[in-house]
Amino acid sequence: QVAEDILSINNIEVIYDHVVLVLKGVSLTVPRGGIVALLGANGAGKTTTLKAISNLLQAERGEVTKGNIEFQGKQVQALSPNELVRRGCIQVMEGRRCFGHLSIEDNLMTGAYTRTDGNAEIKRDLEMVYDYFPRLRERRGSQAGYTSGGEQQMCAVGRALMSRPDMILLDEPSMGLAPQLQEEIFEIVKKLNKNEGVSFLLAEQNTNVALKYATYGYIMEAGRIVLDGDAESLRENEDVKEFYLGVG
Ligand code: ATP
């Protein structure tokens, strides 16, 4: 039996400012319940791919000019980012965008903005987030801008969880974090995947740690997917070892 894909993008091209062709026909799929890594160097097009999916390109004068994006079996290209969140797909932006002047708890509560269910449910989910991120519970009253990089990354993921997503697009979760904290974040990703059934597409430059946790990976270079396979086979691939894992 073939697992259903929660996300499927087919042959998309993205242009910035009507001229620069940045994605040159990117196709990938995420099976429901999968953790898929989108790998590649700085500038390869990972962030642009995620923004194309969540419809966040427009603010940067970017647009999808070709191809097709389906989430939960439905075409989602024309939707607003908010509508996509309502349908269960949310992006956590690179650089842990927390509201620095708000407390951790208020940041988390902003994540519930698309919800129409009651306060009791939202409160219950807040407790769920705190159970996954005990550090956030400890620091719930602290102004986010004064917490550590790791805590802000946790806060950004926690805020996304408050929208009750079926899928999270996670951009560079390891960026700027010490190795131990990177592992901590990825362990939580794995738990959320296992316990809550959240599917993940994560963009990462850190191939090592990403392939430890992902089930499948795609490698991007200059706006194209150049290689893909299950995590195990990518870890064993000689080119991947040489160019991305730092062992020759
Ligand atoms: P990073 O690790 O920096 O996120 P990336 O693989 O995610 O790298 P993108 O940020 O998607 O790469 O960038 C892909 C290409 O698109 C780069 O050449 C970049 O210079 C270009 N680019 C990104 N944003 C814009 C923009 N707003 N306008 C024009 N070009 C852009």
Side-chain angles (χ1 to χ4, degrees), residues 31-226:
R32 187 176 290 282
I35 303 178
V36 172
L38 187 56
L39 305 164
N42 188 13
K46 307 180 297 298
T47 297
T48 300
T49 304
L50 298 192
K51 285 182 182 166
I53 297 164
S54 30
N55 276 311
L56 290 167
L57 283 173
Q58 218 174 7
E60 296 181 51
R61 298 172 58 82
E63 57 180 320
V64 179
T65 53
K66 200 174 143 185
N68 181 41
I69 303 172
E70 279 184 20
F71 177 68
Q72 319 247 46
K74 297 208 173 73
Q75 185 99 16
V76 293
Q77 253 135 297
L79 301 181
S80 69
N82 282 351
E83 178 56 26
L84 196 62
V85 174
R86 262 178 229 115
R87 293 196 190 187
C89 181
I90 188 160
Q91 179 164 351
V92 176
M93 306 266 260
E94 185 176 354
R96 322 159 198 135
R97 312 281 176 96
C98 293
F99 299 108
H101 58 289
L102 294 183
S103 69
I104 291 283
E105 184 147 308
D106 286 345
N107 265 282
L108 295 175
M109 290 305 289
T110 63
Y113 74 104
T114 54
R115 290 174 60 167
T116 50
D117 51 356
N119 280 337
E121 282 83 1
I122 291 174
K123 273 271 176 282
R124 203 185 52 216
D125 287 344
L126 188 64
E127 289 308 312
M128 172 198 72
V129 170
Y130 286 143
D131 289 343
Y132 280 102
F133 298 99
R135 261 171 213 247
L136 295 184
R137 179 179 276 125
E138 283 165 29
R139 312 224 52 190
R140 65 204 297 170
S142 305
Q143 207 173 324
Y146 292 106
T147 63
S148 72
E151 287 159 355
Q152 289 184 42
Q153 182 62 277
M154 291 176 189
C155 180
V157 175
R159 188 176 60 187
L161 283 175
M162 290 301 292
S163 72
R164 285 190 159 258
D166 299 311
M167 169 159 216
I168 298 181
L169 309 172
L170 190 50
D171 201 358
E172 300 270 1
S174 81
M175 196 176 63
L177 301 184
Q180 198 195 327
L181 262 175
Q182 298 177 2
E183 299 276 347
E184 212 176 295
I185 297 273
F186 273 94
E187 284 293 340
I188 291 168
V189 163
K190 203 166 105 181
K191 262 199 215 161
L192 289 169
N193 174 259
K194 194 164 166 266
N195 302 345
E196 313 295 327
V198 180
S199 306
F200 284 87
L201 175 60
L202 44 99
E204 258 302 339
Q205 279 185 61
N206 189 335
T207 308
N208 247 321
V209 70
L211 286 183
K212 239 171 92 178
Y213 292 91
T215 45
Y216 199 89
Y218 291 85
I219 297 184
M220 281 191 94
E221 281 174 18
R224 290 195 171 87
I225 306 283
V226 292

